[in-house]
């Protein structure tokens, strides 16, 4: 049993990274059993669930969407904000009930909540019906722990992982668009954020392994690859002296994937070389998610974001000059401890200046174990909610304005599948990552086609096949 440990996660001992081949074959011990898997949180978790699915299928299981039919329930959890945590705890109540009806049911907690020291203690004390807890740094332990589970509650969380798993196999959800991890963990330690503790030390995969995976995806007909990392553009800094994220982007673009994307970029690691590479290759999509978090230098300093408002604006300016087509989106937190009305006004000013294509906005949420959780926070929730509403109104106005500029234009759209809301429509994304709905024609799924934009809203576009 190995428990999560924040001190260990924080210490970041610089021992050498071990590149571990995790491709082990297992017998179909769970043949005819069913698993129910629910995923919370970011794209990284969504992709981790593709790895989890692969292990379960390898053990002989098949997927069910019906909770009470499951022999194994897996929750791939997120710890980023209080409401993410609450959703999981709420759903666990239902799982506990199902276990009362089926004593053999196995309940497994994975994801970032599995790496929170206090949360795991709570699971041990109050949620004894949970059978297995596995941290996000050792997902590959899943088959082993499932086979060992008869021994009682099993907990395995490698907080400060010095391992990079290689040769990971995935059961990918899409045949069109694929995620590729380029690095794990985060060393930025923004003061509000739990991720550096749950995901551990920043560590890059070797470029050869990434290129091999991308080549294989292209050979299998994938149209799009999205490179993943909490700080995707810090890639290579821990591993190479002369190879970085810009080099990797260029090498993957040259392999000839029709569309290449990446998330999430940290402004501090966004180099001029990256801008040049994105501008140079037509298959690197002109879409950049660039979280600013706040427009106030005072707050940015307290957040430990490592850039000023001026530096951020200068970066956006450079991107717009060299990649005029680029869509830029962002993340913003309101109500960080000590945020004054003036600080908030500066955030509004920056939004007015950048006119983002979109923004994910959040009210600050206290995360136990992070430095910001200890700061005095005397702004009432009501005031924070008012700030969020003001911000959202502005953000949505700019999204819509930017979308309206596409009206009447022909844009390239990668058609992903049938729209969930309306099965007479297909949905896809523009090069600038805007959602487009178009009349249904099965022949176009998985293809990049020119679509004429006929209507524009804040969050989507309507298109017409011509
Ligand atoms: N690695 C990415 C983002 C990871 S989390 C980056 O650095 O930009 C996604 C977003 O959640 C963050 O950008 C931030 O806006 C928000 N977030 C993180 N911790 C939060 C907290 N404690 N309260 C509110 N929002 C938070
Ligand atoms: Fe969290 Fe900051 Fe790391 Fe992003 S860069 S994951 S916000 S600590
Ligand atoms: Fe959530 Fe962990 Fe992602 S906290 S946002 S699942 S890295």
């Amino acid at each position: 049993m190995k428990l999560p440990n924040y001190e260990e996660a924080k210490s970041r001992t610089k021992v050498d990274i071990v590149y571990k081949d995790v491709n082990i074959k297992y017998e179909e011990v769970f043949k005819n059993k069913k698993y129910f898997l629910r995923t919370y949180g970011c794209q990284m978790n969504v992709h981790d669930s593709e790895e989890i699915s692969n292990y379960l299928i390898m053990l002989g299981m098949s997927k069910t969407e019906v909770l009470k039919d499951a022999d194994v329930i897996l929750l791939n959890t997120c710890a980023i904000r209080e409401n993410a945590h609450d959703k999981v705890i709420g759903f666990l109540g239902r799982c506990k009930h199902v276990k009362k009806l089926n004593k053999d049911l196995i309940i497994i907690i994975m994801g970032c909540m599995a790496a929170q020291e206090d949360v795991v203690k709570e699971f041990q004390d109050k949620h004894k019906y949970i059978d297995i807890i596995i941290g996000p740094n050792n997902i590959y332990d899943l088959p082993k722990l499932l086979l060992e589970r008869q021994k009682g509650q099993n907990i395995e969380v490698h907080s400060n992982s010095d391992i990079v798993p290689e040769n990971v196999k995935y059961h990918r959800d899409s045949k069109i668009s694929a995620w590729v991890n380029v690095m794990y963990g985060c060393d930025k330690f923004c003061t509000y954020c739990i991720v550096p503790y749950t995901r551990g030390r920043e560590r890059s995969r070797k470029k050869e392994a990434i290129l091999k995976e991308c080549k294989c995806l292209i050979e299998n007909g994938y149209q799009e690859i999205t490179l993943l990392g909490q700080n995707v553009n810090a890639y290579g800094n821990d591993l190479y002296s002369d190879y970085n994220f810009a080099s990797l982007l260029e090498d993957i673009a040259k392999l000839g994937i029709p569309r290449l994307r990446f998330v999430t970029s940290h402004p501090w690691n966004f180099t001029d070389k990256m801008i040049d590479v994105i501008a140079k290759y037509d298959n690197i999509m002109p879409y950049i998610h660039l979280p600013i978090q706040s427009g106030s230098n005072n707050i940015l300093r307290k957040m430990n974001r490592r850039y000023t408002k001026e530096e951020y604006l200068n970066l956006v300016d450079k991107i717009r000059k060299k990649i005029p087509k680029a869509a830029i989106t962002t993340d913003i937190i309101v109500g960080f401890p000590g945020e004054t009305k003036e600080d908030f006004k500066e955030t509004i000013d920056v939004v007015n200046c950048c006119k983002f294509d979109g923004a994910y906005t959040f009210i600050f949420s206290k995360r136990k174990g992070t430095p910001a959780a200890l700061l005095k926070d005397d702004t009432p929730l009501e005031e924070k909610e008012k700030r969020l509403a003001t911000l959202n109104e502005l953000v949505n106005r700019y999204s819509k304005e930017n979308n309206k500029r596409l009206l009447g234009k022909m844009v390239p759209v990668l058609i992903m599948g049938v729209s969930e809301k309306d099965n007479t429509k297909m949905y896809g994304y523009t090069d600038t990552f805007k959602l487009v709905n178009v009349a249904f024609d099965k022949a176009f799924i998985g293809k990049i086609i020119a679509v004429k934009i006929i209507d524009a809203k804040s969050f989507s576009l309507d298109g017409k096949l011509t």
Side-chain angles (χ1 to χ4, degrees):
M1 185 179 290
K2 194 167 185 310
L3 295 167
N5 181 316
Y6 283 165
E7 276 312 310
E8 188 197 336
K10 227 185 295 188
S11 70
R12 298 289 196 259
T13 39
K14 287 283 177 205
V15 296
D16 284 347
I17 296 287
V18 176
Y19 290 82
K20 181 184 164 96
D21 188 332
V22 298
N23 186 21
I24 302 169
K25 279 264 165 285
Y26 289 90
E27 302 282 314
E28 291 190 332
V29 182
F30 289 80
K31 210 169 168 66
N32 300 327
K33 303 273 186 212
K34 292 201 171 80
Y35 71 90
F36 176 98
L37 169 60
R38 178 163 283 197
T39 308
Y40 303 81
C42 61
Q43 292 97 333
M44 206 157 281
N45 251 20
V46 174
H47 186 39
D48 287 347
S49 282
E50 297 182 327
E51 178 181 354
I52 293 170
S53 300
N54 185 64
Y55 294 127
L56 300 172
I57 292 168
M58 185 167 57
L59 290 169
M61 284 186 237
S62 60
K63 186 177 177 152
T64 175
E65 302 289 343
V66 184
L67 193 64
K68 66 170 179 37
D69 289 351
D71 301 289
V72 176
I73 297 177
L74 260 134
L75 305 185
N76 192 11
T77 64
C78 170
I80 201 81
R81 283 169 293 274
E82 185 95 47
N83 57 358
H85 171 103
D86 292 347
K87 267 191 220 160
V88 172
I89 299 294
F91 195 72
L92 261 175
R94 282 179 61 191
C95 301
K96 185 180 174 185
H97 179 72
V98 179
K99 191 152 187 171
K100 277 193 189 133
L101 307 173
N102 172 11
K103 293 272 176 290
D104 295 327
L105 175 67
I106 301 176
I107 299 179
I108 307 179
I109 299 286
M110 299 186 74
C112 285
M113 276 170 78
Q116 284 178 289
E117 207 178 304
D118 51 312
V119 174
V120 169
K121 280 210 183 85
E122 197 181 314
F123 286 155
Q124 275 182 298
D125 296 344
K126 295 193 198 144
H127 301 261
K128 293 199 166 51
Y129 57 91
I130 297 173
D131 298 276
I132 304 176
I133 300 174
I134 309 174
N137 287 327
N138 48 307
I139 301 170
Y140 52 82
D141 282 334
L142 174 63
K144 186 187 84 186
L145 293 182
L146 253 172
L147 295 171
E148 282 177 1
R149 111 119 208 329
Q150 289 81 343
K151 294 178 195 161
Q153 197 181 49
N154 250 333
I155 306 179
E156 197 69 28
V157 182
H158 300 178
S159 301
N160 184 13
S161 186
D162 300 311
I163 291 172
V164 168
E166 273 308 348
N167 216 351
V168 181
K169 299 285 177 266
Y170 300 95
H171 180 75
R172 296 184 189 270
D173 290 333
S174 168
K175 300 264 172 289
I176 303 165
S177 181
W179 310 103
V180 172
N181 284 326
V182 304
M183 64 182 310
Y184 299 96
C186 178
D187 282 346
K188 286 288 187 293
F189 286 99
C190 301
T191 55
Y192 50 82
C193 185
I194 195 73
V195 174
Y197 308 89
T198 61
R199 295 263 166 180
R201 172 179 167 191
E202 218 163 82
R203 53 215 190 275
S204 300
R205 286 180 68 194
K206 288 194 177 147
K207 60 180 180 191
E208 294 80 9
I210 300 169
L211 288 166
K212 188 173 154 206
E213 186 176 341
C214 292
K215 254 188 221 154
C216 182
L217 290 165
I218 297 170
E219 281 162 16
N220 282 295
Y222 278 87
Q223 298 296 304
E224 182 173 83
I225 287 175
T226 303
L227 308 179
L228 284 181
Q230 281 303 342
N231 285 300
V232 74
N233 54 339
Y235 175 78
N237 297 350
D238 58 315
L239 185 58
Y240 304 112
S241 56
D242 55 353
Y243 195 89
N244 52 32
F245 188 63
S247 337
L248 183 71
L249 262 184
E250 182 156 30
D251 281 348
I252 300 174
K254 280 186 192 157
L255 295 177
I257 182 80
R259 286 186 164 195
L260 180 57
R261 301 186 182 280
F262 53 93
V263 276
T264 295
S265 306
H266 193 294
W268 197 73
N269 292 102
F270 216 103
T271 60
D272 289 352
K273 172 95 190 295
M274 265 180 80
I275 305 179
D276 290 339
V277 169
I278 301 166
K280 182 171 162 195
Y281 290 88
D282 284 344
N283 58 344
I284 304 180
M285 294 299 100
Y287 166 75
I288 295 161
H289 184 58
L290 196 64
I292 182 165
Q293 313 298 2
S294 168
S296 151
N297 285 337
N298 179 30
I299 298 294
L300 285 172
R301 200 174 47 248
K302 287 191 190 161
M303 287 177 162
N304 188 32
R305 283 296 288 183
R306 307 171 185 218
Y307 52 82
T308 61
K309 165 178 81 179
E310 292 75 18
E311 282 162 341
Y312 184 92
L313 291 175
N314 184 30
L315 175 59
V316 167
D317 205 43
K318 274 198 278 187
I319 294 172
R320 292 246 157 88
K321 280 207 179 96
K322 290 204 172 158
I323 318 165
K325 231 190 140 181
I328 300 178
T329 57
T330 200
D331 290 349
I332 299 170
I333 297 175
V334 302
F336 185 83
E339 183 190 69
T340 61
K341 282 204 160 81
E342 291 69 39
D343 291 320
F344 177 65
K345 165 95 183 13
E346 288 193 68
T347 296
I348 293 290
D349 291 346
V350 167
V351 173
N352 278 320
C353 190
C354 293
K355 302 184 172 57
F356 295 108
D357 288 84
Y360 298 96
T361 56
F362 313 100
I363 290 181
F364 167 76
S365 173
K366 206 187 242 194
R367 306 320 285 136
K368 208 169 182 173
T370 65
L374 304 172
L375 297 174
K376 193 167 144 220
D377 185 8
D378 48 14
T379 313
L381 182 61
E382 219 184 2
E383 168 64 21
K384 293 188 182 190
E385 281 169 348
K386 244 170 48 195
R387 287 181 198 174
L388 184 70
T390 309
L391 177 64
N392 283 345
E393 205 192 303
L394 191 67
V395 161
N396 294 347
R397 200 169 83 214
Y398 284 121
S399 299
K400 197 164 174 178
E401 260 175 36
N402 283 315
N403 286 350
K404 284 238 187 279
R405 281 196 277 135
L406 293 177
L407 275 177
K409 296 223 166 92
M410 298 294 289
V411 294
V413 176
L414 172 57
I415 302 293
M416 301 295 292
V418 185
S419 160
E420 267 182 30
K421 285 186 195 147
D422 176 356
N423 64 11
T424 67
K425 296 267 171 68
M426 306 179 294
Y427 77 98
Y429 293 92
T430 64
D431 49 352
T432 51
F433 205 51
K434 291 176 194 284
L435 175 65
V436 184
N437 291 301
V438 261
F440 186 74
D441 186 337
K442 204 174 159 192
F444 290 125
I445 293 175
K447 303 225 157 55
I448 299 167
I449 53 172
V451 168
K452 186 173 181 175
I453 301 302
I454 53 171
D455 195 13
K457 298 160 226 168
S458 278
F459 304 109
S460 69
L461 304 163
D462 286 334
K464 202 171 112 186
L465 297 169
T466 53

